[in-house]
Amino acid sequence: MLRTLLLTTFLGCMMILSACTMGDEDSVIEDNTLWIAPFNQDPEEQYVLREVTLTSSTIVDGKPNHLDTLNVGDVITIEYTETDSSIAESITRK
């Protein structure tokens, strides 16, 4: 009985988690906004995602307005505009 309950709970959690990850993974950028997290993270700490605004003049890997090259999990370096530290001037993938 306990084994059945644990198995049912485990399968239920797996279905919920898989449903959460199946969403919009084909689109990293939504409404010209990119959400980023630090690359080096301590599993015991909590981190806040940073909102980065992208414009049509944002350069990605040396190409203007080439935002579709970014993927979930990419390690990137962002250079911000001088006037606003939330707007990306250029993005370079490592």
Side-chain angles (χ1 to χ4, degrees):
M1 177 70 173
L2 180 61
R3 193 178 295 179
T4 304
L5 179 62
L6 289 173
L7 180 61
T8 303
T9 304
F10 174 74
L11 291 176
C13 289
M14 290 303 295
M15 288 173 47
I16 291 171
L17 290 175
S18 65
C20 290
T21 58
M22 291 175 65
D24 259 340
E25 288 190 351
D26 57 329
S27 177
V28 176
I29 300 162
E30 198 168 302
D31 297 327
N32 293 329
T33 302
L34 175 66
W35 294 90
I36 59 171
F39 175 66
N40 295 320
Q41 295 185 11
D42 182 354
E44 301 297 320
E45 296 291 326
Q46 293 183 351
Y47 297 91
V48 176
L49 295 177
R50 181 172 179 159
E51 180 180 357
V52 178
T53 304
L54 307 171
T55 66
S56 60
S57 61
T58 301
I59 297 173
V60 180
D61 284 337
K63 299 176 184 174
N65 202 15
H66 198 61
L67 303 177
D68 59 340
T69 61
L70 297 174
N71 298 305
V72 173
D74 282 351
V75 178
I76 60 175
T77 302
I78 300 175
E79 291 183 25
Y80 297 96
T81 61
E82 292 180 20
T83 57
D84 190 346
S85 62
S86 67
I87 299 176
E89 185 173 331
S90 67
I91 299 174
T92 307
R93 291 188 308 158
K94 292 185 178 182

